[in-house]
Amino acid sequence: MGRGIARAFRSFRGSRRSLGVFFCAAGAPKLLSFSLAYPPFVALCIGDNYMLVFGTSSAKADEDVGLTFPEDYGPISGFQWLEDNMMLVALANGYVTTVDFGAMVRMRQTQGLPECVKATGTTKVFNEYLACLSYTPATQRIGVVGDRGFKILARKGHELEVLADVTLEYTLSVGNHIDSLRWDREGKGVVITATDGWAWAFEIN
């Protein structure tokens, strides 16, 4: 388990021009995702390790939170919302952190948001790098890609349990790496791709 600390603070709100200036200072916006509940929250990665989460309705206008992660975890390489306003954040140096955004909102409403919020769990899933994280609501499984293969994970309380650990029997050429994983509609099959054009399909039992 990692340190599991995400620094949270009230995000900047203002005019469109002011918000644009703020984004420019923090880095280029990327990796946008809507939560699964309605009306949704929006998570937006800005730069390498800053994440802004904000509401999309007037009722959620004051529920915006900014998150940063330890530098040694590496840049954010992906994130996924879960059904209960939990968020999985993948970090390039091999970590997956679970952030309870719903709990942050409830904390703000009742007692204010502290300077540091402890993530519910941080797990080191790869030793070298983590390139992609993908979640399937159909079977509530999590697929992560890194090093020389992929892993299938499941949430067990606040921990992540490894259901499958697959090393691809293929030698990548210099400068290439395994970079993505996608689930089928039933959440029982995955396709993994590499930057040199190869793809692999697996059925997950």
Side-chain angles (χ1 to χ4, degrees), residues 145 150 168 178 180-182 190-194 198-202:
V145 166
F150 70 96
L168 299 176
I178 305 163
S180 71
L181 179 150
R182 295 293 182 269
V190 294
V191 172
I192 291 87
T193 64
W198 283 84
W200 301 263
F202 291 86

Side-chain angles (χ1 to χ4, degrees), residues 158-173:
H158 290 161
E159 307 293 331
L160 294 177
E161 179 183 11
V162 178
L163 302 180
D165 184 351
V166 179
T167 299
L168 299 176
E169 300 298 328
Y170 173 70
T171 302
L172 290 161
S173 57

